[in-house]
Amino acid sequence: IRRTRFDVALYLAINALLVRGLVAPEITSAMLLPLVILLPVLALRDKTTAAAFRADHYYLALVALWYIGTPGDAWIAGNKVVWFGVWFWAATSKINQHFPSIIAVMLTNSPFIPAAIHRRLFKNFPDDMRPSTTAATLAHFGTLAEYAFPIVLILSAGGPLTPYALIAMVLFHSFIAGNAPS
């Protein structure tokens, strides 16, 4: 893809609007409307930049903020619904036959998992590289955890379980990010 000056200007405008929102004493629907309009334009012109913005996640939250406006705490409820949906469908996408294979390879590449465990992630390493029962169990546990965090967060409504669920969620995803090969 060859980016034009318009693409660069669009990218800069979006970033400027985001910074403006970060430093504003109050965010209004009028401040969010240009982002609601410009992000889809960016996505149509440059899929790579739109993917980097994670528009598939953050655009939904942005639309919830814009649509609901700023009266009271309604924007919090709207974004809870958005993020619950993102997490629920992310967990649902892992209910398939290939996710245990992903877990086996991810953990084999992990700097945190001892080498002695690597072989146990496969049926008969190196002759049969299909995921083992151990890998399948870990995959199912990860899927269950990914369902549990948003359910606890949405039901706890800022109660005493909320900080624990948030900490668990951060640790869960830090572990996943830490296992990405470099």
Side-chain angles (χ1 to χ4, degrees):
I1 184 169
R2 184 170 175 89
R3 293 182 177 97
T4 65
R5 288 182 181 181
F6 176 77
D7 297 321
V8 172
L10 182 60
Y11 178 78
L12 291 173
I14 288 170
N15 278 291
L17 289 167
L18 289 170
V19 169
R20 177 180 152 213
L22 284 173
V23 299
E26 180 183 40
I27 297 176
T28 64
S29 293
M31 286 178 70
L32 298 173
L33 183 58
L35 284 167
V36 169
I37 294 167
L38 292 178
L39 278 169
V41 174
L42 174 72
L44 291 172
R45 296 198 48 89
D46 187 349
K47 292 179 180 82
T48 303
T49 307
F53 268 116
R54 291 302 306 259
D56 55 328
H57 292 175
Y58 299 114
Y59 186 73
L60 295 171
L62 178 68
V63 169
L65 285 170
W66 167 73
Y67 181 74
I68 294 170
T70 57
D73 293 334
W75 67 273
I76 294 172
N79 274 285
K80 276 186 174 185
V81 170
V82 167
W83 288 111
F84 179 83
V86 167
W87 274 70
F88 179 84
W89 292 112
T92 302
S93 74
K94 291 168 180 70
I95 300 175
N96 55 52
Q97 292 179 343
H98 70 271
F99 191 57
S101 298
I102 292 168
I103 293 300
V105 172
M106 181 183 86
L107 294 181
T108 301
N109 289 328
S110 173
F112 307 110
I113 304 297
I117 295 177
H118 292 179
R119 292 177 180 268
R120 293 182 54 200
L121 296 170
F122 301 98
K123 286 200 183 254
N124 185 19
F125 182 85
D127 299 322
D128 187 352
M129 298 296 287
R130 290 178 296 164
S132 68
T133 305
T134 302
T137 301
L138 291 170
H140 296 316
F141 174 75
T143 301
L144 180 65
E146 199 159 18
Y147 274 123
F149 300 142
I151 290 171
V152 169
L153 284 173
I154 212 154
L155 294 178
S156 68
L161 291 179
T162 300
Y164 298 109
L166 289 172
I167 290 168
M169 189 183 297
V170 168
L171 292 174
F172 181 80
H173 281 86
S174 296
F175 178 76
I176 292 169
N179 288 316
S182 53

